Short mmCIF file of all heavy atoms in Angstrom, two decimals:
data_model
loop_
_atom_site.label_atom_id
_atom_site.label_comp_id
_atom_site.label_asym_id
_atom_site.label_seq_id
_atom_site.Cartn_x
_atom_site.Cartn_y
_atom_site.Cartn_z
N ILE A 1 123.41 169.49 78.14
CA ILE A 1 124.72 169.65 78.77
C ILE A 1 125.79 169.24 77.78
O ILE A 1 125.67 168.22 77.10
CB ILE A 1 124.82 168.78 80.04
CG1 ILE A 1 123.81 169.27 81.08
CG2 ILE A 1 126.24 168.80 80.61
CD1 ILE A 1 123.68 168.36 82.27
N VAL A 2 126.85 170.04 77.71
CA VAL A 2 128.00 169.74 76.86
C VAL A 2 129.22 169.65 77.78
O VAL A 2 129.46 170.54 78.58
CB VAL A 2 128.22 170.84 75.80
CG1 VAL A 2 129.47 170.54 74.98
CG2 VAL A 2 127.00 170.98 74.91
N LEU A 3 129.96 168.56 77.65
CA LEU A 3 131.19 168.38 78.44
C LEU A 3 132.34 168.17 77.47
O LEU A 3 132.33 167.24 76.67
CB LEU A 3 131.07 167.18 79.37
CG LEU A 3 132.32 166.80 80.15
CD1 LEU A 3 132.76 167.94 81.08
CD2 LEU A 3 132.10 165.52 80.95
N LEU A 4 133.31 169.07 77.52
CA LEU A 4 134.54 168.96 76.73
C LEU A 4 135.66 168.65 77.72
O LEU A 4 135.70 169.23 78.80
CB LEU A 4 134.82 170.27 76.00
CG LEU A 4 133.69 170.83 75.15
CD1 LEU A 4 134.01 172.25 74.69
CD2 LEU A 4 133.39 169.94 73.97
N PHE A 5 136.56 167.76 77.34
CA PHE A 5 137.61 167.38 78.28
C PHE A 5 138.85 166.92 77.53
O PHE A 5 138.78 166.48 76.39
CB PHE A 5 137.13 166.26 79.22
CG PHE A 5 136.62 165.04 78.50
CD1 PHE A 5 137.47 163.98 78.21
CD2 PHE A 5 135.30 164.95 78.11
CE1 PHE A 5 137.01 162.86 77.55
CE2 PHE A 5 134.82 163.83 77.45
CZ PHE A 5 135.68 162.78 77.16
N THR A 6 139.98 167.04 78.20
CA THR A 6 141.24 166.54 77.64
C THR A 6 141.41 165.08 78.02
O THR A 6 140.72 164.56 78.91
CB THR A 6 142.44 167.34 78.16
OG1 THR A 6 142.51 167.19 79.59
CG2 THR A 6 142.33 168.81 77.80
N ASP A 7 142.32 164.42 77.36
CA ASP A 7 142.57 163.01 77.65
C ASP A 7 143.09 162.80 79.07
O ASP A 7 142.99 161.70 79.61
CB ASP A 7 143.53 162.39 76.64
CG ASP A 7 144.92 163.03 76.64
OD1 ASP A 7 145.09 164.12 77.23
OD2 ASP A 7 145.83 162.44 76.04
N GLY A 8 143.59 163.85 79.70
CA GLY A 8 144.06 163.72 81.08
C GLY A 8 142.94 163.35 82.04
O GLY A 8 143.18 162.72 83.08
N VAL A 9 141.70 163.70 81.71
CA VAL A 9 140.56 163.36 82.57
C VAL A 9 140.28 161.86 82.48
O VAL A 9 140.22 161.17 83.48
CB VAL A 9 139.31 164.19 82.20
CG1 VAL A 9 138.10 163.72 82.98
CG2 VAL A 9 139.57 165.67 82.43
N THR A 10 140.10 161.36 81.27
CA THR A 10 139.76 159.94 81.11
C THR A 10 140.95 159.03 81.37
O THR A 10 140.77 157.86 81.70
CB THR A 10 139.20 159.67 79.70
OG1 THR A 10 140.10 160.18 78.72
CG2 THR A 10 137.84 160.34 79.54
N GLU A 11 142.17 159.55 81.24
CA GLU A 11 143.36 158.74 81.49
C GLU A 11 143.93 158.95 82.89
O GLU A 11 145.01 158.43 83.19
CB GLU A 11 144.41 159.04 80.43
CG GLU A 11 143.98 158.60 79.04
CD GLU A 11 144.94 158.99 77.94
OE1 GLU A 11 146.01 159.58 78.23
OE2 GLU A 11 144.62 158.70 76.77
N ALA A 12 143.20 159.66 83.75
CA ALA A 12 143.63 159.81 85.14
C ALA A 12 143.66 158.43 85.78
O ALA A 12 142.72 157.65 85.64
CB ALA A 12 142.68 160.73 85.89
N MET A 13 144.76 158.11 86.46
CA MET A 13 144.95 156.76 87.00
C MET A 13 144.88 156.72 88.50
O MET A 13 145.30 157.64 89.19
CB MET A 13 146.30 156.20 86.56
CG MET A 13 146.38 155.86 85.11
SD MET A 13 147.93 155.01 84.79
CE MET A 13 148.32 155.68 83.19
N ASN A 14 144.38 155.60 88.99
CA ASN A 14 144.39 155.36 90.44
C ASN A 14 145.67 154.60 90.80
O ASN A 14 146.53 154.38 89.94
CB ASN A 14 143.12 154.60 90.87
CG ASN A 14 142.99 153.23 90.24
OD1 ASN A 14 143.95 152.67 89.71
ND2 ASN A 14 141.80 152.68 90.29
N GLY A 15 145.80 154.20 92.05
CA GLY A 15 146.99 153.50 92.52
C GLY A 15 147.21 152.14 91.88
O GLY A 15 148.32 151.61 91.89
N ARG A 16 146.16 151.55 91.27
CA ARG A 16 146.29 150.25 90.59
C ARG A 16 146.54 150.43 89.10
O ARG A 16 146.45 149.48 88.33
CB ARG A 16 145.03 149.42 90.82
CG ARG A 16 144.81 149.07 92.29
CD ARG A 16 143.57 148.21 92.44
NE ARG A 16 142.39 148.91 91.93
CZ ARG A 16 141.44 149.45 92.68
NH1 ARG A 16 141.50 149.35 93.99
NH2 ARG A 16 140.41 150.06 92.14
N LEU A 17 146.83 151.67 88.69
CA LEU A 17 147.11 152.03 87.30
C LEU A 17 145.92 151.80 86.38
O LEU A 17 146.07 151.53 85.19
CB LEU A 17 148.35 151.31 86.77
CG LEU A 17 149.65 151.56 87.55
CD1 LEU A 17 150.80 150.79 86.93
CD2 LEU A 17 149.96 153.05 87.61
N GLU A 18 144.70 151.92 86.93
CA GLU A 18 143.48 151.84 86.13
C GLU A 18 143.11 153.26 85.72
O GLU A 18 143.23 154.19 86.52
CB GLU A 18 142.33 151.24 86.95
CG GLU A 18 142.59 149.84 87.42
CD GLU A 18 141.57 149.40 88.45
OE1 GLU A 18 141.16 150.21 89.31
OE2 GLU A 18 141.18 148.21 88.38
N CYS A 19 142.62 153.43 84.50
CA CYS A 19 142.19 154.73 84.02
C CYS A 19 140.76 155.02 84.43
O CYS A 19 139.92 154.12 84.49
CB CYS A 19 142.29 154.80 82.49
SG CYS A 19 143.98 154.87 81.89
N PHE A 20 140.47 156.30 84.70
CA PHE A 20 139.11 156.72 85.02
C PHE A 20 138.16 156.36 83.88
O PHE A 20 137.09 155.82 84.11
CB PHE A 20 139.10 158.23 85.30
CG PHE A 20 137.81 158.75 85.83
CD1 PHE A 20 137.35 158.37 87.08
CD2 PHE A 20 137.06 159.65 85.10
CE1 PHE A 20 136.15 158.86 87.59
CE2 PHE A 20 135.87 160.16 85.60
CZ PHE A 20 135.41 159.76 86.84
N GLY A 21 138.53 156.65 82.67
CA GLY A 21 137.80 156.22 81.48
C GLY A 21 136.54 157.01 81.17
O GLY A 21 136.01 157.74 82.00
N GLU A 22 136.07 156.84 79.95
CA GLU A 22 134.88 157.54 79.49
C GLU A 22 133.62 157.03 80.19
O GLU A 22 132.70 157.82 80.45
CB GLU A 22 134.74 157.41 77.98
CG GLU A 22 135.77 158.21 77.22
CD GLU A 22 135.62 158.12 75.72
OE1 GLU A 22 134.54 157.73 75.23
OE2 GLU A 22 136.60 158.44 75.02
N ALA A 23 133.54 155.75 80.48
CA ALA A 23 132.34 155.19 81.12
C ALA A 23 132.13 155.80 82.51
O ALA A 23 131.01 156.17 82.86
CB ALA A 23 132.44 153.68 81.22
N ARG A 24 133.19 155.94 83.29
CA ARG A 24 133.07 156.55 84.62
C ARG A 24 132.74 158.04 84.51
O ARG A 24 131.96 158.57 85.30
CB ARG A 24 134.35 156.35 85.43
CG ARG A 24 134.54 154.95 85.95
CD ARG A 24 135.77 154.86 86.88
NE ARG A 24 135.98 153.51 87.33
CZ ARG A 24 136.74 152.62 86.70
NH1 ARG A 24 137.37 152.94 85.59
NH2 ARG A 24 136.88 151.39 87.18
N LEU A 25 133.32 158.70 83.52
CA LEU A 25 133.04 160.12 83.32
C LEU A 25 131.57 160.30 82.95
O LEU A 25 130.89 161.17 83.50
CB LEU A 25 133.95 160.70 82.24
CG LEU A 25 133.78 162.17 81.94
CD1 LEU A 25 133.97 163.03 83.19
CD2 LEU A 25 134.74 162.60 80.84
N MET A 26 131.05 159.48 82.05
CA MET A 26 129.64 159.57 81.67
C MET A 26 128.73 159.26 82.86
O MET A 26 127.71 159.91 83.05
CB MET A 26 129.33 158.63 80.51
CG MET A 26 129.85 159.12 79.18
SD MET A 26 129.23 160.75 78.71
CE MET A 26 127.48 160.46 78.66
N ALA A 27 129.10 158.25 83.65
CA ALA A 27 128.30 157.91 84.83
C ALA A 27 128.26 159.09 85.81
O ALA A 27 127.22 159.38 86.39
CB ALA A 27 128.86 156.66 85.51
N ALA A 28 129.39 159.77 85.97
CA ALA A 28 129.43 160.94 86.86
C ALA A 28 128.56 162.06 86.32
O ALA A 28 127.84 162.72 87.08
CB ALA A 28 130.88 161.42 87.01
N LEU A 29 128.57 162.25 85.03
CA LEU A 29 127.76 163.30 84.41
C LEU A 29 126.28 162.96 84.48
O LEU A 29 125.45 163.82 84.76
CB LEU A 29 128.18 163.49 82.96
CG LEU A 29 127.47 164.57 82.16
CD1 LEU A 29 127.69 165.94 82.79
CD2 LEU A 29 127.96 164.57 80.72
N GLU A 30 125.94 161.71 84.27
CA GLU A 30 124.54 161.30 84.24
C GLU A 30 123.95 161.02 85.62
O GLU A 30 122.74 160.85 85.75
CB GLU A 30 124.40 160.05 83.37
CG GLU A 30 124.69 160.32 81.90
CD GLU A 30 124.72 159.06 81.06
OE1 GLU A 30 124.82 157.95 81.63
OE2 GLU A 30 124.65 159.19 79.83
N ALA A 31 124.77 161.02 86.65
CA ALA A 31 124.30 160.68 88.00
C ALA A 31 123.17 161.60 88.45
O ALA A 31 122.19 161.13 89.01
CB ALA A 31 125.46 160.74 88.99
N SER A 32 123.29 162.87 88.21
CA SER A 32 122.27 163.83 88.62
C SER A 32 122.24 165.01 87.66
O SER A 32 122.61 166.12 88.02
CB SER A 32 122.56 164.33 90.04
OG SER A 32 122.57 163.26 90.94
N PRO A 33 121.81 164.79 86.42
CA PRO A 33 121.86 165.87 85.43
C PRO A 33 120.97 167.07 85.76
O PRO A 33 121.19 168.15 85.25
CB PRO A 33 121.40 165.19 84.14
CG PRO A 33 120.59 164.03 84.60
CD PRO A 33 121.20 163.60 85.91
N ASP A 34 119.99 166.89 86.64
CA ASP A 34 119.09 167.99 86.99
C ASP A 34 119.59 168.80 88.18
O ASP A 34 118.91 169.72 88.62
CB ASP A 34 117.69 167.45 87.27
CG ASP A 34 117.08 166.83 86.03
OD1 ASP A 34 117.40 167.30 84.91
OD2 ASP A 34 116.31 165.87 86.17
N GLN A 35 120.75 168.45 88.71
CA GLN A 35 121.32 169.19 89.83
C GLN A 35 121.60 170.63 89.43
O GLN A 35 121.77 170.94 88.25
CB GLN A 35 122.64 168.57 90.28
CG GLN A 35 122.52 167.37 91.13
CD GLN A 35 123.89 166.91 91.60
OE1 GLN A 35 124.91 167.20 91.01
NE2 GLN A 35 123.90 166.15 92.68
N GLU A 36 121.72 171.50 90.42
CA GLU A 36 122.20 172.85 90.19
C GLU A 36 123.56 172.72 89.52
O GLU A 36 124.33 171.81 89.81
CB GLU A 36 122.28 173.58 91.54
CG GLU A 36 122.61 175.04 91.45
CD GLU A 36 124.10 175.33 91.45
OE1 GLU A 36 124.89 174.62 92.11
OE2 GLU A 36 124.48 176.28 90.76
#
């Protein structure tokens, strides 16, 4: 799997001004890599 993304994905902020970040993005990608 190859995931390309802009900084807007990892810098997306919640109401507490926390960034989504690369760690959360990787966790989302790795959660179920064998899914359809």
Side-chain angles (χ1 to χ4, degrees):
I1 296 171
V2 177
L3 174 62
L4 307 170
F5 56 92
T6 61
D7 63 346
V9 173
T10 53
E11 294 175 2
M13 289 188 217
N14 62 17
R16 296 182 301 254
L17 302 180
E18 299 168 321
C19 288
F20 188 66
E22 289 181 18
R24 286 186 182 91
L25 181 57
M26 285 303 300
L29 181 61
E30 293 173 344
S32 300
D34 296 329
Q35 280 184 337
E36 187 272 326

